[in-house]
Amino acid sequence: MPCFPDKFAENIKSKQNKLYSLFKREPKNEDESYLKQEIVHHWNPFPELPPSEIPLFAIDGSNACLATQGGRYISIVQAILQGKDWREVEVDVEAFRDTQKVDVERFHQVHRQWLEWKIGSDNGEKIANSFLFIDGSLYISPVLYSWAQVAQRMPEGLEDMPLRALDAFLSLVEASREYGIKLIGISKTSKGHFYPRLLLGKETDITDLEIFSFWTEGSGFSTPLLVGPHTIPQPWERVKSDFLRALPSPKKEEVSSRLDNLLPSLSVVLFYIRFEEGDEIYRVDTLAPSVGITTKKEELEKITICEPKIIYPILSVLLSSHGGFNVYQTLLYVAHNEVILRGIDQDVYLTLLRELTNLPIRRSKVDTRFGRRF
Amino acid sequence: MEVVKTPEPVGYIVGNVETQRFSFVTEPNICPPRLEYLVVRDIPASEQGLERVDVLAQVSRLQVASQILGEELTYEEARAILEGLSPRPKIIGTADVLGYLTPEGGVRLPRHAPLPGQPVYLASDDFLRNFFSKDVGYGITVGNLINREGVEVKLNPNGLRRHLAIIAQTGAGKSYLAGLLLENLLKLGATILVFDPNSDYVMMRLTPEGKKTSFSDSVKVYRVPLKAERRYSDEKIGGSEEYTIRFWTLEDEDIFEIAQIHESWVNIRSNLSKLLNSLRKRSPYFTPQHLKEFVEGMTESAEVGGELDELGEVVSENELEEMTLNMQRKAKAGKETKSSFSYEELRRVKPYVDRLASLEIWGDKDLPIDNIISPKTLSVIDLAGLQQRAMEIVVDRTLREIWEKAVLGHLPRPLFVFLEEAHNFVPGKGKPSRCAEIINRIAAEGRKFKVFLVVITQRPYKINQDTLSQCGSQIIMKLTNPEDQNAVRTASENISESLLADLPGLNTGEAVVLGELTRVPVMIKVGKRESAEGGADVDIIRELQLASREGEISQPIIQVKPQGDDLMGGGVL
């Protein structure tokens, strides 16, 4: 075996200081020192809470993008809506040409997000008066912002995928309002800067995730914040118009008006949580109406500190459905394991595709390298 | 005939399929258990694929997996997931194809593999009965199929033509099974001889309730006379006939072994040999009692060696007596003469001679071979109470006599010879046994002369591998020792690795039948015997309870009367 580990060790040695500062994040300036000092006041121990009796559901999705010969991609997405001993599943397949303009990865992400939101909105009535866990953020503005950047890079014939996704999200928000569904998004990553902005009153480089990961200890949760849909640095109207302009769909006028109507509902109450010592930080989002907040117009651009008690029902659900280090939320864990697209599933799908279409579709070496998967 | 038990399939074939094995996916509520029999219908039998047959297969493996309940989970995590949630496991079964039955009654493997997606069904009892026992009208019933109480398995008696080995570890039920085979062979009219070192078969005349069995009159038990109490008394087994061992026919080596003179004690052996030779010169017929008296006489004589050296040829009793008296007179006179034995040498031989004389097995009652080979007779030679060498001598002499008859064509009917604890009679790895040679000869040539062996052993590793490999059929029960499994693997051409892997998992009374006794290897649950079982396991708990009670009863009760005024402290011991 080549002596890669020796080379690895040499390389690490030469980068020791850099790694140390990266993994032991210390304040770099006065602002950050202040943040480190202040953030502990926004980190709260878990209160004693009765277990929640409200039904729980979880949505998760999985996708595989198969590169096939001739520069064709097949995007397979499957989504699951998992309850206790009940589930609904959906699958969608899209095939497209790979060209220079196409951002395959991003299309893939939007495709999956669309199906996840769709399965939730399609089954709203069946899951009325429940908590619905979603893997990921509920804060739509950054999503729209990033989609606006890539809307032009969707594959030919699938340019409207971001619009479809937004449509599905808005339907889910409407369904949650209509059927009393409390949406809870749990993200393992977050690039938000809400707490520094709130505490320093200006934009900084450090993220919420870094602050809570490196400068707080033990289990607990952060003081919740109400974040309006306009809170991102870019002007909301520009983000929206950029996004819609990039889309060819005739539906965009309708979506635009729905977006405006739903704006107050798109405010999010968010907080960070660490379930146990040594675990990582998760971001939890819920739509403001889910915790009884109706956003006023002037709050759409603001960040407001909320009373921790408003999220106690959510905390109760999160804590009672927390399994442990590997299982931060039991239903999401189950949904994830049920929905995940394994290599063998991809082979089954590809075989079915070949048989149903009678087309000689073969995988490209882009995916398989020297392997023999068919 | 119904082929399938239920019209609904219990699974569908998935994955890569071989002609001899396939996997199927199933569900918890319909999942067939391991070893259950399945049918795959309409498989092309011939190369051309014209003839379609129903193929029998047996579930050899079940794998249950859960995508959700992975091994990385902690107890708390698993409990949290399971609260109100019941994840559905995925069950994949593997089945070994046993084949299909041809119109001629043979079993063949299909030339085509079943296809993924084909349904698999539970085989019906009728289908299984037909498959395993069709045209075996004159069969030996030994039990039913594992998992199917309603399907009796009949073994083909012709399968015994190339001998049978019954192999199982202690406690797995091999003697019980052998007893059942004996019963059913006897009912078919067989002549059977059983060498029984542990009195496992002496109760065959009686039912467990103590009544006579239907074949009671055909069973004869032969025993050596013993003063000591036996495990099963004559009264308990319904009587026995006596047989003894002729001491004068033994070779010196036999006598050393029976007297337990270690092979390194060469002087004692040499002196005893000389004494025996002296006796043989006197008379061809002598007993250990004669030997004892002879040694005692010479021990008293101071000139014993010199006089004996003069004995060149056979002398009369009167002459010997006169010589002995003369020797005694000389001894009393204190005269020294040349002697082959010192007093010390005789003193050292004497305990072994005494030991030989104390055994009650000597006499001149031979086993009645003509009775043993008479039709429809089960002769149980109870070897219990004999030393190993004596057992070997009995087995050797009996089998040689039978073999002589067989070879000369004087054996009128087939004789089945059951040899319990066979590893002690035909040991492997160069260990000596007096009877190994004749047993191996029967194993090699017996089928030509109507003598068929059934060797029963709990240590196949220790038995002579040639003997074991001569057995064309095997009935194997629970076997966990890897050395024993290896021995079975080496000796049997019929056993597959998957069957070997099954052996440790068999329950008491379950067995795999291989070889010519059946069309295909079959796993059975041994049926019920009519006769009582000797040598059954001791119920230790019951024995301990009895011992404890006896102990309490025999404990003296001491009562002490208080003395004087010391009322507070008195009366306690």
Side-chain angles (χ1 to χ4, degrees):
Chain A
M1 184 188 164
C3 55
F4 292 119
D6 292 347
K7 292 287 176 195
F8 179 82
E10 267 176 40
N11 199 260
I12 292 294
K13 236 175 184 174
S14 69
K15 291 170 182 165
Q16 215 157 9
N17 291 339
K18 189 180 164 191
L19 290 168
Y20 187 82
S21 64
L22 197 63
F23 287 95
K24 296 280 285 182
R25 181 72 158 85
E26 296 297 341
K28 287 177 181 167
N29 51 44
E30 275 186 22
D31 283 347
E32 288 189 0
S33 296
Y34 173 74
L35 272 178
K36 184 177 179 181
Q37 191 185 312
E38 279 301 302
I39 205 68
V40 291
H41 303 303
H42 291 279
W43 189 249
N44 312 288
F46 292 130
E48 288 287 331
L49 295 168
S52 171
E53 299 292 324
I54 300 172
L56 306 182
F57 294 90
I59 289 175
D60 200 8
S62 172
N63 50 332
C65 200
L66 313 180
T68 67
Q69 291 175 8
R72 266 62 179 156
Y73 274 88
I74 297 163
S75 175
I76 303 166
V77 182
Q78 50 189 36
I80 189 167
L81 171 58
Q82 176 75 48
K84 289 186 173 178
D85 297 327
W86 176 87
R87 69 180 66 157
E88 286 284 339
V89 293
E90 278 287 350
V91 178
D92 192 67
V93 186
E94 294 290 359
F96 55 90
R97 278 176 71 214
D98 184 26
T99 61
Q100 270 195 333
K101 80 153 212 184
V102 174
D103 184 338
V104 173
E105 280 301 312
R106 189 49 68 89
F107 169 76
H108 208 45
Q109 187 192 351
V110 179
H111 191 193
R112 179 171 57 81
Q113 202 116 54
W114 162 68
L115 199 66
E116 285 180 16
W117 288 334
K118 185 174 179 299
I119 198 172
S121 63
D122 286 355
N123 293 282
E125 198 176 346
K126 294 178 189 166
I127 58 172
N129 303 312
S130 65
F131 279 104
L132 176 58
F133 287 100
I134 291 177
D135 191 16
S137 165
L138 290 180
Y139 189 46
I140 192 70
S141 307
V143 176
L144 277 190
Y145 175 63
S146 70
W147 285 356
Q149 311 295 309
V150 296
Q152 305 278 9
R153 305 194 60 189
M154 292 290 108
E156 192 180 331
L158 293 165
E159 295 88 348
D160 66 341
M161 188 53 79
L163 193 61
R164 279 156 63 181
L166 178 63
D167 199 14
F169 180 74
L170 296 179
S171 298
L172 181 61
V173 172
E174 283 163 341
S176 78
R177 205 165 55 179
E178 190 177 348
Y179 298 111
I181 300 162
K182 293 177 171 61
L183 298 178
I184 299 174
I186 303 183
S187 317
K188 293 174 284 297
T189 60
S190 168
K191 290 172 187 164
H193 303 76
F194 302 108
Y195 287 82
R197 277 180 67 193
L198 179 79
L199 295 173
L200 298 173
K202 59 180 182 184
E203 293 295 325
T204 59
D205 175 50
I206 194 161
T207 64
D208 294 342
L209 187 68
E210 286 175 309
I211 291 172
F212 289 109
S213 294
F214 294 111
W215 298 341
T216 65
E217 286 177 354
S219 61
F221 67 103
S222 68
T223 306
L225 303 180
L226 172 66
V227 181
H230 295 190
T231 315
I232 60 166
Q234 285 71 20
W236 165 251
E237 287 305 324
R238 201 176 132 201
V239 169
K240 194 181 77 175
S241 63
D242 280 358
F243 170 70
L244 295 172
R245 197 179 327 113
L247 303 169
S249 165
K251 274 186 75 181
K252 61 185 174 183
E253 291 301 319
E254 182 204 325
V255 169
S256 173
S257 112
R258 277 175 78 196
L259 202 52
D260 290 338
N261 288 338
L262 283 171
L263 264 184
S265 304
L266 297 178
S267 290
V268 164
V269 169
L270 63 86
F271 61 95
Y272 291 84
I273 190 167
R274 184 188 285 122
F275 288 104
E276 53 190 289
E277 176 69 49
D279 199 355
E280 63 184 302
I281 295 281
Y282 302 93
R283 191 179 111 181
V284 181
D285 294 359
T286 190
L287 296 176
S290 297
V291 288
I293 294 177
T294 314
T295 326
K296 299 178 189 91
K297 199 170 178 185
E298 62 270 22
E299 287 173 327
L300 297 180
E301 293 175 8
K302 278 170 60 183
I303 301 173
T304 315
I305 294 178
C306 302
E307 187 63 32
K309 278 187 180 168
I310 65 164
I311 58 161
Y312 279 6
I314 295 173
L315 274 182
S316 168
V317 168
L318 285 171
L319 293 175
S320 58
S321 62
H322 173 69
F325 201 79
N326 294 303
V327 187
Y328 61 87
Q329 207 285 323
T330 51
L331 268 185
L332 271 177
Y333 176 86
V334 172
H336 170 79
N337 279 283
E338 292 284 16
V339 81
I340 198 160
L341 257 167
R342 294 170 172 85
I344 183 92
D345 303 323
Q346 295 172 28
D347 290 341
V348 169
Y349 280 148
L350 199 61
T351 308
L352 272 174
L353 189 66
R354 272 202 294 261
E355 287 186 3
L356 293 169
T357 60
N358 207 19
L359 288 168
I361 301 168
R362 289 190 190 286
R363 290 188 86 155
S364 160
K365 297 285 188 293
V366 170
D367 277 354
T368 60
R369 305 297 295 270
F370 297 102
R372 288 188 181 183
R373 285 172 62 183
F374 55 118
Chain B
M1 181 187 65
E2 286 289 339
V3 174
V4 299
K5 195 172 184 183
T6 52
E8 292 301 318
V10 291
Y12 294 96
I13 294 175
V14 292
N16 294 332
V17 184
E18 298 169 34
T19 47
Q20 284 174 282
R21 178 172 287 195
F22 60 80
S23 297
F24 61 96
V25 64
T26 181
E27 280 223 305
N29 55 336
I30 54 169
C31 176
R34 206 176 75 86
L35 307 179
E36 179 57 280
Y37 291 93
L38 305 175
V39 174
V40 188
R41 307 209 65 178
D42 297 330
I43 302 294
S46 61
E47 280 169 354
Q48 291 78 24
L50 297 174
E51 186 196 355
R52 291 188 169 262
V53 289
D54 298 318
V55 172
L56 187 68
Q58 187 176 25
V59 180
S60 57
R61 191 173 176 218
L62 289 169
Q63 285 176 279
V64 186
S66 169
Q67 283 189 192
I68 294 164
L69 297 170
E71 287 174 356
E72 72 283 358
L73 293 179
T74 63
Y75 172 81
E76 285 299 332
E77 287 165 350
R79 195 176 67 173
I81 290 167
L82 289 167
E83 272 172 13
L85 195 76
S86 44
R88 286 191 307 176
K90 176 180 171 186
I91 307 179
I92 296 285
T94 306
D96 292 334
V97 174
L98 299 180
Y100 66 93
L101 200 60
T102 63
E104 299 77 36
V107 169
R108 272 202 210 136
L109 280 173
R111 299 263 174 102
H112 290 262
L115 300 176
Q118 275 196 270
V120 291
Y121 302 89
L122 286 183
S124 74
D125 284 0
D126 279 349
F127 184 78
L128 292 172
R129 219 170 273 128
N130 196 47
F131 190 92
F132 287 107
S133 302
K134 189 188 173 195
D135 302 330
V136 191
Y138 205 64
I140 313 163
T141 307
V142 284
N144 51 269
L145 282 182
I146 276 186
N147 292 342
R148 293 297 181 96
E149 280 188 15
V151 183
E152 271 191 347
V153 177
K154 286 183 176 177
L155 306 183
N156 187 345
N158 275 335
L160 294 172
R161 281 184 298 202
R162 280 194 59 215
H163 315 297
L164 167 67
I166 299 176
I167 300 166
Q169 68 187 43
T170 308
K174 62 183 182 311
S175 301
Y176 188 91
L177 166 68
L180 184 65
L181 270 177
L182 290 172
E183 283 181 7
N184 290 322
L185 272 173
L186 192 59
K187 287 173 188 170
L188 293 176
T191 303
I192 314 161
L193 169 61
V194 182
F195 291 106
D196 185 6
N198 296 325
S199 304
D200 287 336
Y201 306 97
V202 295
M203 301 285 285
M204 295 210 59
R205 275 188 291 217
L206 299 169
T207 66
E209 294 76 33
K211 293 177 183 166
K212 284 177 89 177
T213 53
S214 60
F215 46 81
S216 172
D217 295 340
S218 305
V219 181
K220 296 268 183 278
V221 178
Y222 298 93
R223 287 179 148 176
V224 287
L226 286 181
K227 280 183 197 152
E229 197 178 333
R230 287 178 183 275
R231 193 168 166 206
Y232 301 103
S233 65
D234 273 3
E235 190 184 348
K236 199 169 179 182
I237 67 170
S240 70
E241 291 177 33
E242 196 175 285
Y243 74 93
T244 52
I245 299 173
R246 297 177 185 202
F247 185 71
W248 60 89
T249 62
L250 301 184
E251 292 165 11
D252 287 2
E253 196 65 29
D254 298 334
I255 294 169
F256 299 154
E257 291 291 331
I258 293 169
Q260 296 175 22
I261 305 172
H262 194 271
E263 60 186 13
S264 62
W265 302 341
V266 287
N267 290 334
I268 298 175
R269 284 186 168 214
S270 161
N271 291 331
L272 183 55
S273 267
K274 285 182 194 167
L275 289 165
L276 289 166
N277 283 335
S278 302
L279 275 179
R280 284 185 190 113
K281 284 172 187 167
R282 286 175 58 192
S283 164
Y285 308 105
F286 57 92
T287 67
Q289 192 54 38
H290 291 128
L291 178 64
K292 186 182 174 183
E293 287 164 10
F294 189 48
V295 171
E296 281 171 354
M298 280 195 289
T299 309
E300 287 169 16
S301 164
E303 297 172 354
V304 75
E307 295 296 329
L308 284 172
D309 278 350
E310 291 162 19
L311 288 171
E313 52 195 33
V314 177
V315 290
S316 71
E317 289 239 24
N318 290 340
E319 282 170 333
L320 194 70
E321 197 172 349
E322 198 181 315
M323 285 169 74
T324 308
L325 285 170
N326 189 30
M327 280 190 277
Q328 284 170 353
R329 274 197 300 276
K330 281 179 180 175
K332 278 177 190 167
K335 289 182 182 172
E336 292 286 325
T337 55
K338 190 185 166 194
S339 168
S340 296
F341 301 95
S342 67
Y343 173 82
E344 185 57 25
E345 283 168 336
L346 288 168
R347 192 186 65 75
R348 288 172 69 183
V349 166
K350 192 168 179 299
Y352 301 101
V353 174
D354 288 348
R355 180 179 290 166
L356 287 169
S358 70
L359 299 175
E360 304 107 278
I361 57 175
W362 313 117
D364 60 356
K365 271 190 189 167
D366 265 349
L367 283 163
I369 298 297
D370 286 336
N371 290 350
I372 285 172
I373 62 173
S374 60
K376 203 176 178 183
T377 303
L378 167 61
S379 305
V380 179
I381 317 288
D382 187 2
L383 299 168
L386 293 179
Q387 286 164 316
Q388 178 58 32
R389 186 65 169 201
M391 290 188 198
E392 291 168 18
I393 291 163
V394 174
V395 173
D396 185 62
R397 289 193 179 277
T398 313
L399 288 182
R400 280 186 194 282
E401 210 170 320
I402 287 168
W403 185 243
E404 204 171 293
K405 280 184 182 289
V407 171
L408 293 172
H410 298 156
L411 198 61
R413 54 195 67 82
L415 176 70
F416 298 94
V417 178
F418 280 60
L419 190 62
E420 253 289 0
E421 306 280 359
H423 52 279
N424 289 330
F425 297 105
V426 259
K429 300 189 189 293
K431 285 190 179 168
S433 164
R434 172 77 187 260
C435 51
E437 195 262 331
I438 185 65
I439 294 171
N440 274 329
R441 190 179 296 174
I442 293 174
E445 300 171 39
R447 62 198 173 104
K448 289 186 262 179
F449 302 105
K450 295 193 280 191
V451 185
F452 306 112
L453 271 181
V454 177
V455 295
I456 304 165
T457 180
Q458 65 215 31
R459 295 309 313 270
Y461 165 67
K462 290 188 171 175
I463 200 169
N464 186 308
Q465 291 304 294
D466 284 344
T467 319
L468 201 58
S469 58
Q470 288 289 347
C471 295
S473 295
Q474 295 87 22
I475 302 181
I476 309 171
M477 305 177 90
K478 188 182 178 90
L479 203 59
T480 51
N481 185 309
E483 284 176 332
D484 289 330
Q485 289 181 8
N486 268 339
V488 170
R489 180 190 282 118
T490 311
S492 173
E493 59 203 30
N494 303 307
I495 195 155
S496 65
E497 286 302 316
S498 69
L499 273 177
L500 262 177
D502 278 334
L503 297 179
L506 292 176
N507 297 313
T508 300
E510 292 176 347
V512 181
V513 185
L514 304 157
E516 296 176 18
L517 287 171
T518 57
R519 293 192 173 104
V520 288
V522 59
M523 299 180 95
I524 59 161
K525 176 132 187 78
V526 175
K528 208 167 175 328
R529 253 168 73 164
E530 186 184 338
S531 60
E533 187 188 8
D537 279 350
V538 173
D539 183 346
I540 293 179
I541 295 172
R542 191 174 158 273
E543 294 290 327
L544 287 176
Q545 284 169 342
L546 284 173
S548 176
R549 243 175 273 146
E550 284 168 19
E552 280 168 21
I553 292 164
S554 61
Q555 194 81 26
I557 300 165
I558 303 166
Q559 286 184 330
V560 180
K561 199 178 171 184
Q563 291 174 5
D565 296 333
D566 188 11
L567 294 174
M568 294 300 286
V572 178
L573 271 182

